Amino acid sequence: MLGPHVIQTSCCPAVQVAPNYPIVRTNLAVALTDLGTGLKLKGQLQQGIAMYERALALVPRHADALYNLGVACAEAGQVERAVFCYEMTTHFNPACAEAWNNLGVLHKDADNLERAADCYMAALNIRPNFPQSLNNLAVVLTSQGKAGEAYSHLQAAIAASPDYAEAHNNLGVLQRDVGAIHDALASYGRALKLVPDSRNAGQNRLLALNYVYPGEGPLVCAAHAEWGHAFQAMHAEEMLPEVTSCDRDTSPGRPLKVGYVSPDLFTHSVSYFAEAPMSHHNPSRVQLFVYSCVVKQDAKTTRLQQKVVAAGGVWRDVARMSEPDLAKLIRQDQVDILVELTGHTANNRLGVCAMRAAPVQVTWIGYPNSTGLTAVDYRFTDAICDPTHTKQTYTEELVRLPGCFLCYTPAADCAPPVAPLPAATNGFVTFGSFNNLAKITPQVLALWARILNSVPASRLLLKAKPLSCAMARHHVMTQLQAAGVPAWKVDLLPLTPGTGEHLAVYGLMDISLDTFPYAGTTTTAESLYMGVPVITLRGGCHAHNVSCSLLSAVGLADQWVARDQEQYVQLAVQHASNIPALQQLRQQLRQQMATSQLCDAKIFVPQLEDTYSSLWQRWVTEGGRKRPIQGLLQQQQEQQRIGQQVQQQQQPGSACHAEQPMQQALQVHAAAAAAAAAAAGSPAAGRITDADDNTG
């Protein structure tokens, strides 16, 4: 490829002879644009941007240079400039479908969904079978709860490009959202067959398994270990040098540097449990570092940041930072204990853990199973979620915190007062669940049908984002009607716009029914805060037992936790028949919860700090890693072998149901040449998050 000097030398005589001759300036602009693309593809992003700028200095309306400058600016995080470049491209070349598509991606990232949809439609008007725009429009429609329309667009994207792995993954997410989990798993399988190391599809599949199979099953345990082994191998060359006790101040009693990394520090399920440690750490014991990967900050983000800074902590916005750069930053900050709060859910930074950013690494809150990474040392839990006799296996060592492993901070600033018991005036009991449809498996619906058929005139209220779509409503109602529940007994509601409005809907419900084998977390906590007790079922894995732990912390375990499905039905019938007792509990439940261990950050956080001190002292005493990696690798390999045997024994269609987030809008990157050929390049993949994906 000719360098910039050669290009200028060969073209300058022509420019000097005929400075206003358009074809000369255009040819030089084309050459500089090609050069810029070549430099960008070599990783020289800023040099590429400079070449595009020089091309535009010669021909300000050169659409290819504008388009490629937009791509480069987006990659460099210069979002406003990228938007301007794409808008100018569509002005000077309205037929550039790629520019419309990429402009839609940036509007989607800015949460301007209507404008994003308009841009994708403009791209599809130009090129009706454009796979990326079909996929991206489906992403927007899915986030709006328009599952039927999204399904049609994803099917069209796959028909136009059968090897489009991201579209298969996103179809799986959509199928999860409406509860068609067998289909979702098949879609993930197709995505992984096309791209075996697809991080999004692989992690979506792992989360799905928590809904489909009991977490203690060898298939689920092996799948996590297998994924972790492969993922860590991919990052082997990026592993940071090992930290030894000689590299750190091991003086007894010094404040430990504890870092929390999360993309969910906004109005999101995880934030209600992360707020306590971020607000109540004692600076004399913990020097707090928060690595916020939040893409779309809100008032909750601002409040958390203010609390961290007020407590003497350090808040770092790292959403646009790559995992290798973030790992280096954490190492540079000399964090002693790194706590990741996401697991295999949306926008996680498990790559940072795989690179061994801190000498002691912990996973907590955001995911009900193992990371699968031997680089993560510990997993925080409690004796109810993971009793000592648990059959569920983890690559991490379990650390059972005293009492409940979570501390809940209610949304007291926007929560309405507890509403009167509906049954007292309705003359019938309303059961309900606000868990996502992935958790509401056919087995769960069948058990709830038994309750509805056992309690005369009772009703069922379900609330979830996809229930605004006829496809999702039909899926749920078909299963309930097959179990003998008439349609008039069921109310299906979509999501409400704000937290206060969402919490107010609990005023329509008398008793919450929990899901299994993946129980609620945030939904259970907010139901209790709104005065609505929850019936849950004890199980054999962490995901199954979280509500049991929450109810125990509030003092309701004896009357509201069932040991088996028969008792689950019995408890529902028993409580539904005692309206005075339900009224009394409703009046006192918020206060009972607020004064319980579950919401007592002043007790919880010092105990958490004791745990951090113990883990650090253990690391200092043992001079580094607490366990040999080789032994864990052998354990992973054995789990792999068992899981494969179990998978081979499974009959098609024998699972229950589940899943998680979606890959985000794909931005088309293109080389400069003609606009018609501008689609050559690699799409950038991410994921949509949902307020209930992590802990809900």
Side-chain angles (χ1 to χ4, degrees), residues 176-207:
R176 174 285 313 261
D177 276 357
V178 300
I181 312 303
H182 298 300
D183 294 337
L185 287 171
S187 293
Y188 296 142
R190 285 189 288 272
L192 289 167
K193 186 176 181 180
L194 291 166
V195 183
D197 60 351
S198 169
R199 181 166 172 177
N200 291 328
Q203 291 187 295
N204 281 343
R205 175 179 174 269
L206 291 181
L207 182 56

Side-chain angles (χ1 to χ4, degrees), residues 80-103:
E80 291 182 1
R81 193 180 185 199
V83 169
F84 174 79
C85 289
Y86 289 141
E87 287 178 342
M88 288 299 97
T89 304
T90 60
H91 178 73
F92 295 123
N93 182 11
C96 183
E98 293 78 17
W100 285 112
N101 179 80
N102 290 5
L103 185 58

Side-chain angles (χ1 to χ4, degrees), residues 597-617:
Q597 173 198 348
L598 183 59
C599 298
D600 195 345
K602 293 182 179 179
I603 296 296
F604 181 88
V605 176
Q607 292 176 335
L608 179 65
E609 292 170 344
D610 290 342
T611 300
Y612 287 145
S613 296
S614 298
L615 298 183
W616 179 250
Q617 190 56 46

Side-chain angles (χ1 to χ4, degrees), residues 96-429:
C96 183
E98 293 78 17
W100 285 112
N101 179 80
N102 290 5
L103 185 58
V105 171
L106 297 181
H107 284 303
K108 163 67 177 60
D109 289 345
D111 211 26
N112 189 349
L113 300 185
E114 295 300 328
R115 178 61 178 144
D118 290 343
C119 290
Y120 297 142
M121 286 303 301
L124 291 170
N125 286 335
I126 298 164
R127 193 187 305 172
N129 293 324
F130 190 10
Q132 280 86 355
S133 290
L134 287 165
N135 173 80
N136 293 345
L137 182 56
V139 169
V140 171
L141 293 169
T142 300
S143 69
Q144 295 173 330
K146 300 175 182 178
E149 295 176 60
Y151 182 81
S152 297
H153 284 83
L154 285 169
Q155 291 284 34
I158 292 170
S161 180
D163 293 340
Y164 191 3
E166 290 84 359
H168 286 287
N169 174 79
N170 289 352
L171 180 60
V173 172
L174 175 62
Q175 290 162 334
R176 174 285 313 261
D177 276 357
V178 300
I181 312 303
H182 298 300
D183 294 337
L185 287 171
S187 293
Y188 296 142
R190 285 189 288 272
L192 289 167
K193 186 176 181 180
L194 291 166
V195 183
D197 60 351
S198 169
R199 181 166 172 177
N200 291 328
Q203 291 187 295
N204 281 343
R205 175 179 174 269
L206 291 181
L207 182 56
L209 291 175
N210 292 289
Y211 300 88
V212 177
Y213 301 103
E216 70 272 24
L219 175 62
V220 179
C221 297
H224 285 78
E226 180 180 355
W227 183 92
H229 178 67
F231 184 73
Q232 206 155 298
M234 289 171 56
H235 291 81
E237 294 183 359
E238 299 172 300
M239 183 86 71
L240 298 178
E242 183 177 359
V243 178
T244 68
S245 54
C246 299
D247 301 320
R248 294 294 168 92
D249 178 2
T250 58
S251 304
R254 75 160 173 90
L256 293 176
K257 291 186 175 182
V258 176
Y260 294 96
V261 57
S262 174
D264 300 325
L265 304 177
F266 60 104
T267 306
H268 182 282
S269 300
V270 166
S271 69
Y272 295 101
F273 301 99
E275 185 166 350
M278 291 184 186
S279 305
H280 290 82
H281 271 309
N282 183 345
S284 68
R285 300 192 69 186
V286 167
Q287 184 179 355
L288 179 60
F289 287 78
V290 175
Y291 301 93
S292 170
C293 307
V294 178
V295 177
K296 301 169 189 172
Q297 300 184 5
D298 63 6
K300 182 76 171 283
T301 310
T302 302
R303 184 169 79 249
L304 288 173
Q305 182 176 3
Q306 290 171 344
K307 289 187 175 183
V308 168
V309 173
V314 176
W315 179 283
R316 300 198 187 282
D317 288 313
V318 296
R320 296 191 177 276
M321 191 173 286
S322 68
E323 287 182 319
D325 287 344
L326 178 54
K328 291 173 186 174
L329 175 62
I330 293 168
R331 180 64 67 88
Q332 193 176 1
D333 287 337
Q334 293 194 319
V335 167
D336 300 310
I337 300 175
L338 180 66
V339 187
E340 78 84 24
L341 304 176
T342 319
H344 292 289
T345 59
N347 302 313
N348 66 79
R349 295 303 184 96
L350 288 183
V352 171
C353 296
M355 296 169 204
R356 199 71 194 177
V360 178
Q361 300 192 138
V362 179
T363 182
W364 184 35
I365 298 179
Y367 185 68
N369 211 317
S370 175
T371 63
L373 301 178
T374 56
V376 178
D377 303 294
Y378 302 103
R379 173 177 169 76
F380 286 169
T381 182
D382 61 46
I384 294 178
C385 290
D386 289 284
T388 54
H389 60 271
T390 181
K391 295 180 180 179
Q392 188 170 4
T393 58
Y394 304 89
T395 54
E396 308 88 359
E397 180 176 336
L398 295 182
V399 174
R400 295 174 176 87
L401 300 179
C404 181
F405 78 107
L406 296 171
C407 185
Y408 180 64
T409 303
D413 55 335
C414 59
V418 174
L421 187 76
T425 53
N426 288 340
F428 57 85
V429 170

